[in-house]
Amino acid sequence: MKKFYCLVLIVLVAFAACKKGQLSSGDGEDNGCISRIKRDYSDSNKVELATAIKLLQKNNIPTNGLVIYRVILNDSISTNIYQHVMAYEESNGLPIFNSGISYHFRNEIFETSIGRRYGTLNLNTKAAATLPQIRKVFIDAFKKDGYTVDNNVNESSCLNAEFGYFDLNHDTPDHPNFIKAWKVTFAKYNEYPVAYIQDSDRKLLFYFNGLLTLNKVNQTGSKIR
């Protein structure tokens, strides 16, 4: 009888270990090619970028956490010259994906800003989802996309995934609700199609293939970074 109980116990332990360790594609995992990356969103014109930073500092505008992605320094209207600095925001070294603020100057003197800054968010930098889980969500959304010219993918179709923060209430910026999320694209395309996936439960927040159509909804939400 003791041997029988031991055998049953061994079988139960083995079964429990198998159930705990299993995570096949059917359970939400795709073991194809995917890499975690950190994108450089800053303006590629480093000379104008340096000038923009000096312009902000000259007008006592804090630059910490700002990633300047576009600069216009010589927007001439009549006798005035306007400058425009557009930026995204980072927190804890991670991007806030759907953030954005623009600063506008007249003759290098600050006039107004559009958008808002959030500063340091009260969220940690630890990811809960694994890269294979994130890949599974993206590939599933991609395969359902009828407007993609070539939607044939396999395990060697590489993806890029960036970890950061996402405001679920981005349409009402005065009441933000930030979560941790992933931005995913194909490595060879880098921009579209793009998906944003919630880290905690791997919910697809947004998918956009880069095409705007009148007769079919092909995205969730509005276009974001």
Side-chain angles (χ1 to χ4, degrees):
M1 183 65 71
K2 184 179 293 185
K3 290 183 178 180
F4 173 77
Y5 283 136
C6 290
L7 179 61
V8 171
L9 181 60
I10 291 171
V11 171
L12 289 174
V13 170
F15 176 76
C18 182
K19 291 293 287 184
K20 184 177 180 181
Q22 278 182 343
L23 196 55
S24 66
S25 59
D27 293 317
E29 192 168 79
D30 182 324
N31 291 306
C33 179
I34 183 171
S35 300
R36 180 171 174 173
I37 66 167
K38 178 73 166 67
R39 292 176 170 90
D40 181 7
Y41 293 103
S42 62
D43 194 315
S44 59
N45 188 328
K46 301 305 179 184
V47 175
E48 288 194 348
L49 178 59
T51 303
I53 293 173
K54 291 180 180 178
L55 180 61
L56 294 172
Q57 293 172 338
K58 175 183 175 181
N59 286 271
N60 299 312
I61 299 172
T63 58
N64 56 301
L66 287 184
V67 179
I68 299 170
Y69 69 91
R70 189 180 180 199
V71 181
I72 301 172
L73 296 175
N74 297 292
D75 184 11
S76 299
I77 302 177
S78 186
T79 59
N80 294 305
I81 299 178
Y82 292 84
Q83 296 81 33
H84 312 280
V85 178
M86 283 70 81
Y88 299 122
E89 199 170 1
E90 287 188 342
S91 176
N92 305 314
L94 297 178
I96 302 177
F97 292 124
N98 50 347
S99 67
I101 186 167
S102 58
Y103 297 96
H104 305 278
F105 307 81
R106 181 173 62 179
N107 301 322
E108 299 189 0
I109 304 300
F110 174 72
E111 280 207 326
T112 188
S113 63
I114 300 174
R116 64 167 295 178
R117 294 183 67 168
Y118 297 101
T120 302
L121 303 183
N122 188 27
L123 290 169
N124 63 39
T125 59
K126 185 177 180 181
T130 65
L131 289 178
Q133 291 169 337
I134 294 301
R135 178 182 165 88
K136 166 72 171 155
V137 178
F138 179 89
I139 293 299
D140 284 351
F142 176 76
K143 287 181 177 179
K144 294 176 183 177
D145 179 9
Y147 280 89
T148 302
V149 175
D150 179 10
N151 61 353
N152 295 316
V153 293
N154 55 40
E155 64 277 1
S156 65
S157 303
C158 292
L159 305 182
N160 284 338
E162 183 177 18
F163 188 59
Y165 305 114
F166 188 98
D167 182 9
L168 292 175
N169 295 344
H170 62 275
D171 291 329
T172 56
D174 291 335
H175 301 88
N177 180 18
F178 285 104
I179 60 164
K180 292 181 286 186
W182 295 85
K183 176 183 178 180
V184 187
T185 61
F186 281 106
K188 65 178 180 179
Y189 297 129
N190 196 42
E191 187 170 7
Y192 300 113
V194 60
Y196 291 84
I197 301 166
Q198 185 163 320
D199 177 60
S200 61
D201 58 4
R202 308 190 298 280
K203 176 183 178 182
L204 180 65
L205 300 170
F206 174 97
Y207 177 86
F208 182 52
N209 61 15
L211 301 175
L212 295 175
T213 65
L214 297 177
N215 60 351
K216 181 174 179 179
V217 176
N218 57 49
Q219 65 180 72
T220 303
S222 57
K223 182 180 177 182
I224 56 177
R225 174 168 65 106

